[in-house]
Amino acid sequence: MEILDQISQALQKGKAKDVKEMVQAALDQGIAAQTILVDGLLSGMGVVGVKFKNNEVYVPDVLIAARAMKAGTEILRPQLAADGVKATGKIILGTVKGDLHDIGKNLVGMMMEGKGLEVVDLGVDVPAEKFIDAAIEHNANVVCCSALLTTTMGEMKNVVEVAKAKGVREKLTIMVGGAPVNDAFANSIGADIYTPDAASAAEAAVAKVLEWNAQA
Ligand code: B1M
């Protein structure tokens, strides 16, 4: 669809206002929020990622593209994950220590909120201790860690270790995700659940919260 391509192009150029308007126009045309996200916004960000890797664009260009991405996702927020099973419960969410990428994490949070969950978003560059302290403080059973760098994904193991050290491992479901993370890595560090995208993360969190609520 032409408008999705236009959204992708505008995002690549970092035109936040145009992205916002076009995302709204696409919604008005009846295009599903998930389609706009994947084939418009994420498609554009994918191109930026490749150019970034090839040194064809630089950090400031990526930052303005990221700003445009955020503007677009905010418009989609009410529509994303509005359907499906819902649950009441608290989730602790953050991007691990040393990592400043937050677009994926924010999408995860948005979709979880769309499913009725209360998300305590700790932001970016979050040390392992802070994830676990927040879970204890908020009496939450699900901790969600995002990492986008191969150099920071190891911090997720620290989250698991700190949970053990503080004696709360058995009371927590530790979920991990982000581009360099996979099932094998999640298993190797002793995390409970890996999901590849925000929608499946939200579904898995709902399922876990329902299980924890049933045990309470
Ligand atoms: Co950076 N960066 N970046 N970057 N950046 C990547 C990740 C990179 C792959 C680019 C590349 O080389 N092609 C590369 C990592 C290489 C590696 O480690 N393998 C990279 C690098 C190297 C860096 C710097 C080191 C660059 C430098 O300074 N020299 C630096 C590091 C800064 C730091 O964090 N300490 C850096 C900086 C930045 C910006 C600040 C400029 C900006 C971030 C802005 C922001 O987030 N506010 C940025 C961006 C935007 C990117 C790319 C282009 C896009 C990332 C993104 O937002 N994607 C990225 C290249 C790429 O991914 N194509 C790149 C869209 C987002 C929706 O996807 O976050 O993957 P993602 O989330 C997905 C899934 O992964 C999943 O759900 C989402 C989709 O539904 N998901 C989860 C995410 N978290 C989850 C948690 C879950 C479950 C699923 O459960 C808990």
Side-chain angles (χ1 to χ4, degrees):
M1 270 168 274
E2 203 185 334
I3 194 154
L4 299 178
D5 192 44
Q6 287 167 352
I7 290 170
S8 167
Q9 299 288 342
L11 184 138
Q12 291 168 46
K13 292 180 190 138
K15 295 188 170 175
K17 190 167 166 275
D18 291 355
V19 168
K20 242 169 128 170
E21 287 170 5
M22 285 190 261
V23 166
Q24 188 56 59
L27 282 174
D28 294 343
Q29 285 178 23
I31 303 173
Q34 187 67 19
T35 306
I36 300 169
L37 175 68
V38 174
D39 297 337
L41 298 171
L42 290 178
S43 146
M45 191 49 102
V47 176
V48 173
V50 172
K51 289 188 174 168
F52 187 35
K53 191 175 178 184
N54 297 335
N55 291 321
E56 291 168 42
V57 298
Y58 300 98
V59 169
D61 309 297
V62 182
L63 274 174
I64 57 163
R67 209 174 304 141
M69 170 94 197
K70 278 187 185 169
T73 46
E74 279 305 320
I75 303 289
L76 295 179
R77 183 189 275 270
Q79 267 80 22
L80 286 172
D83 305 329
V85 182
K86 302 207 174 199
T88 311
K90 270 190 196 172
I91 305 288
I92 307 299
L93 172 68
T95 302
V96 298
K97 187 175 163 188
D99 202 322
L100 304 176
H101 296 86
D102 68 355
I103 298 172
K105 182 230 357 132
N106 292 343
L107 268 178
V108 168
M110 234 180 242
M111 298 221 180
M112 289 182 175
E113 283 174 356
K115 291 199 172 288
L117 297 167
E118 187 183 332
V119 176
V120 179
D121 188 342
L122 304 177
V124 296
D125 194 17
V126 181
E129 288 250 330
K130 198 168 169 188
F131 279 101
I132 303 305
D133 288 347
I136 295 167
E137 182 192 336
H138 293 278
N139 200 17
N141 296 111
V142 181
V143 172
C144 295
C145 309
S146 176
L148 262 285
L149 300 172
T150 44
T151 49
T152 58
M153 58 199 272
E155 182 66 13
M156 291 171 165
K157 183 170 170 38
N158 295 339
V159 175
V160 175
E161 295 307 322
V162 171
K164 284 182 194 162
K166 293 199 178 228
V168 293
R169 182 68 188 93
E170 301 311 315
K171 292 182 195 150
L172 296 179
T173 296
I174 299 181
M175 293 179 52
V176 294
V181 181
N182 57 29
D183 244 330
F185 174 77
N187 288 335
S188 75
I189 62 167
D192 298 301
I193 299 178
Y194 158 74
T195 50
D197 55 49
S200 54
E203 275 164 27
V206 165
K208 272 293 152 192
V209 163
L210 289 173
E211 267 179 51
W212 283 113
N213 288 352
Q215 281 174 38

